[in-house]
Amino acid sequence: MTNQYDVVVIGSGVIGSSIAYHLSESKQKEILVIDKGFPLSGTSGSTQAWVWVHNKTPSWYGELSMYSAELYPFLERKIGDVEYKRTGGIAPFFNESDREKALRLAEKQAEVGIDIEVLNREQVLEKEPALSPTIAGATYSKIDGNVNPFRLVELYIKAAKRNGAEFSFYNPVIDIDKDNGNFTITTKEGVFYAKQLILAGGPWTKGLGELLGIDIPVKQVRGQIIVTEPLAPLIKHTIGGMRQADNGEILIGYSKEEVGYDRRTTLDVIQDTAKMAVDYLPDLARANIVRCFSGIRVMPHDGFPILGEIPEIDNAFIAVMHSGITLSPLVGTLMTELLTEGETSIDLKRLRFNRFNECNV
Amino acid sequence: MDKSTIVCRCEEINIDEIESAIKMGAHTFDDIKRITRCGMGPCQAKICTTLVQRIISEYTDKPLSDIGPSRMRMPLKLTRIGVLAGNKESSSVISVFSESASKEGETKND
Ligand SMILES: Cc1cc2nc3c(=O)[nH]c(=O)nc-3n(C[C@H](O)[C@H](O)[C@H](O)COP(=O)(O)OP(=O)(O)OC[C@H]3O[C@@H](n4cnc5c(N)ncnc54)[C@H](O)[C@@H]3O)c2cc1C
């Protein structure tokens, strides 16, 4: 290992690994990825991993998610089987009065090319017979799917390594300095230098910002998930709230709590999650739970990704967001464009860090 | 022992797969678990814990007593969803649909 790199990426979750992989494709840059732990120890190892598009609003955000979903089949051809399945997505509603809202959502998303059907009860049950007959209807889109996050991150890293990128695990970054246009990155294992620096620290990104003297407007939001024992195929689609993995287990959950970095599971939320499972799929009442887990989302204050240059620090970049599983192929592609060409094929204006200064958040 | 010897019966993971994860940089049981699924199955690592700890210890030359087990997860034993669901009324769980349909410009669901 040398000490001098073109690019150092801090964080080896799905975002940092995707950026390293996409950057490594051209084999033009010396890349080092540093992680304080092992890659899946952060949020990317404790996620539902839907590649979810159709309910993402406003529509420009849905559009970004759609572009990313469209990249998955190509990604899989390049890095290997990440168990990406375009299952189609169903988001059920239980009140007839919600149909109006569903139609409005479909209309809005159609403007950017996202196809949504609004289904009535019979149509939903025809697609997904295990769903509860008490539902009123659902929005449905073919574009949604899910992926195996463990395979995804592992294969991003393996492909990046094949292209020459280097990784340093169990190596926390303790300090960052900038002088003469070069970053000096002090870690537990030694000092590294970089021309370009990318912060991709997930829920720890705020702490990395402090090392650079900037305040990154993100908060931590816990989510708790139930995992069942492997079951015979019960659901075919990704359903807003749950999915069935290749090995038969069903992952269920959709909760949000602001409790800081606390990855415990709590009985109350798990009971509510079990209730949701049964409300959606009555058959699940008889299924066994194997384990529960929780993960910490990193949520920018306005909810949208923070992507691109860090204002006032030349050659420092940030990539921090919720829905990083859905967005990782697109984020890796756009960051590569930005770092190698200085501009991106999709306008990043809405995602830039400096939007927060403009509206004084 | 033969490299193809199964260590985790639930997920059918053998010694070779565990060693590959360690070669990739995995240090702890949990690192290995996420890469290989070893210990994620219905028995929740009750069978493979000491076996994996021994492999890590041999590979890293650390005493067995320094190798921790994997993180225990609620509910520890197989539990029916119906038993947990009870008949609660209120809920902390959000609906993906109602989130997307609420206000333009405010939602982002998983
Ligand atoms: C319950 C739950 C469900 C979710 N469901 C979905 C979903 O269905 N679809 C979807 O798209 N998204 C989903 N998400 C969100 C998604 O998982 C995250 O957006 C994504 O994993 C973030 O990846 P990341 O690489 O930014 O962060 P992480 O995976 O947390 O990676 C950050 C890395 O940075 C490293 N790091 C931090 N600080 C330092 C330091 N000082 N030195 C060295 N290394 C450091 C950490 O060790 C870590 O490995 C969900 C999240 C949760 C919690």
Side-chain angles (χ1 to χ4, degrees):
Chain A
M1 230 186 239
T2 66
N3 278 345
Q4 173 72 50
Y5 291 86
D6 294 319
V7 183
V8 165
V9 182
I10 304 177
S12 177
V14 74
I15 294 300
S17 305
S18 169
I19 294 171
Y21 161 66
H22 285 92
L23 260 176
S24 74
E25 276 185 301
S26 68
K27 304 190 181 165
Q28 278 170 12
K29 299 216 182 231
E30 306 259 334
I31 302 161
L32 173 69
V33 184
I34 306 174
D35 201 292
K36 68 183 172 65
F38 199 59
L40 291 156
S41 55
T43 309
S44 306
S46 52
T47 170
Q48 275 268 16
W50 310 334
V51 178
W52 192 260
V53 175
H54 90 260
N55 299 80
K56 299 283 179 70
T57 55
S59 53
W60 65 262
Y61 184 52
E63 189 180 11
L64 272 185
S65 307
M66 175 173 68
Y67 292 148
S68 200
E70 294 290 20
L71 289 172
Y72 261 100
F74 300 102
L75 178 72
E76 201 157 45
R77 265 193 248 160
K78 294 190 290 182
I79 70 173
D81 183 6
V82 294
E83 293 172 19
Y84 171 64
K85 296 176 294 292
R86 195 167 288 179
T87 56
I90 292 179
F93 54 86
F94 287 83
N95 289 313
E96 207 37 57
S97 59
D98 281 334
R99 187 169 305 279
E100 199 55 40
K101 292 181 197 156
L103 289 166
R104 260 205 315 277
L105 176 75
E107 205 173 293
K108 275 274 163 219
Q109 302 295 62
E111 288 170 12
V112 293
I114 302 171
D115 258 334
I116 299 182
E117 288 173 52
V118 179
L119 307 178
N120 63 29
R121 176 183 295 128
E122 288 68 36
Q123 290 167 318
V124 188
L125 294 177
E126 202 175 298
K127 281 198 190 308
E128 201 63 277
L131 275 169
S132 167
T134 64
I135 59 169
T139 52
Y140 164 76
S141 178
K142 284 194 188 123
I143 182 79
D144 306 306
N146 61 71
V147 66
N148 179 337
F150 305 123
R151 298 281 298 156
L152 179 64
V153 174
E154 187 192 351
L155 290 181
Y156 270 139
I157 292 171
K158 286 192 167 152
K161 280 186 179 166
R162 274 200 303 278
N163 290 337
E166 292 174 35
F167 286 78
S168 172
F169 299 138
Y170 282 103
N171 191 12
V173 170
I174 311 163
D175 203 8
I176 310 173
D177 269 317
K178 180 155 194 215
D179 37 38
N180 302 327
N182 227 356
F183 292 96
T184 307
I185 300 140
T186 308
T187 71
K188 200 178 115 213
E189 305 287 332
V191 177
F192 301 97
Y193 305 94
K195 290 182 203 144
Q196 293 173 309
L197 176 73
I198 303 176
L199 307 186
W204 297 275
T205 307
K206 210 178 180 66
L208 292 174
E210 282 160 16
L211 299 180
L212 277 172
I214 52 166
D215 182 31
I216 299 174
V218 292
K219 55 187 183 184
Q220 298 175 332
V221 183
R222 179 167 74 188
Q224 302 194 31
I225 307 286
I226 286 177
V227 187
T228 71
E229 64 189 337
L231 303 172
L234 181 67
I235 48 174
K236 290 198 291 283
H237 298 80
T238 307
I239 296 176
M242 62 188 76
R243 71 173 174 107
Q244 187 160 24
D246 276 10
N247 67 356
E249 58 189 28
I250 298 186
L251 282 79
I252 307 155
Y254 200 50
S255 62
K256 292 180 177 175
E257 306 160 273
E258 289 185 31
V259 290
Y261 198 88
D262 177 352
R263 284 180 62 177
R264 282 176 292 187
T265 35
T266 59
L267 189 58
D268 54 341
V269 175
I270 291 305
Q271 285 181 311
D272 289 346
T273 304
K275 170 87 166 35
M276 187 253 286
V278 177
D279 286 347
Y280 277 36
L281 291 176
D283 286 349
L284 280 179
R286 288 178 292 120
N288 282 316
I289 297 176
V290 168
R291 68 174 183 284
C292 304
F293 69 79
S294 81
I296 310 297
R297 301 178 180 88
V298 52
M299 194 61 92
H301 285 175
D302 63 1
F304 301 112
I306 308 177
L307 192 66
E309 293 99 346
I310 294 178
E312 278 151 44
I313 308 179
D314 283 346
N315 291 313
F317 302 83
I318 182 167
V320 55
M321 69 207 68
H322 180 52
S323 295
I325 304 285
T326 303
L327 293 168
S328 74
L330 185 70
V331 166
T333 306
L334 294 174
M335 287 301 278
T336 299
E337 291 173 352
L338 189 61
L339 265 75
T340 53
E341 282 145 41
E343 54 184 12
T344 51
S345 52
I346 294 174
D347 188 0
L348 293 185
K349 193 163 175 289
R350 284 195 174 103
L351 305 180
R352 291 236 166 87
F353 194 121
N354 61 16
R355 70 178 183 267
F356 293 100
N357 309 339
E358 280 160 15
C359 55
N360 283 321
V361 173
Chain B
M1 235 187 298
D2 196 318
K3 297 250 186 198
S4 62
T5 305
I6 297 286
V7 175
C8 167
R9 286 197 216 162
C10 303
E11 299 286 338
E12 294 183 16
I13 305 299
N14 63 31
I15 296 181
D16 191 43
E17 287 166 276
I18 291 174
E19 289 185 352
S20 301
I22 299 175
K23 272 187 215 143
M24 195 181 152
H27 278 204
T28 65
F29 195 132
D30 283 329
D31 294 345
I32 293 171
K33 175 164 141 184
R34 295 191 194 97
I35 291 284
T36 64
R37 291 196 56 86
C38 175
M40 274 201 189
C43 95
Q44 286 291 285
K46 290 189 186 70
I47 292 172
C48 62
T49 295
T50 43
L51 297 169
V52 173
Q53 284 170 315
R54 259 170 47 198
I55 300 173
I56 300 175
S57 152
E58 276 162 29
Y59 220 92
T60 56
D61 272 337
K62 280 197 200 135
L64 190 57
S65 53
D66 286 3
I67 315 288
S70 78
R71 181 164 175 159
M72 291 300 173
R73 293 281 178 199
M74 189 161 108
L76 299 179
K77 263 179 90 171
L78 291 188
T79 306
R80 288 250 158 139
I81 292 189
V83 172
L84 278 174
N87 43 16
K88 293 183 76 174
E89 276 307 323
S90 73
S91 183
S92 57
V93 175
I94 321 150
S95 139
V96 169
F97 173 79
S98 58
E99 224 189 14
S100 78
S102 53
K103 273 175 259 126
E104 262 278 284
E106 211 210 14
T107 59
K108 357 9 311 196
N109 30 56
D110 290 326

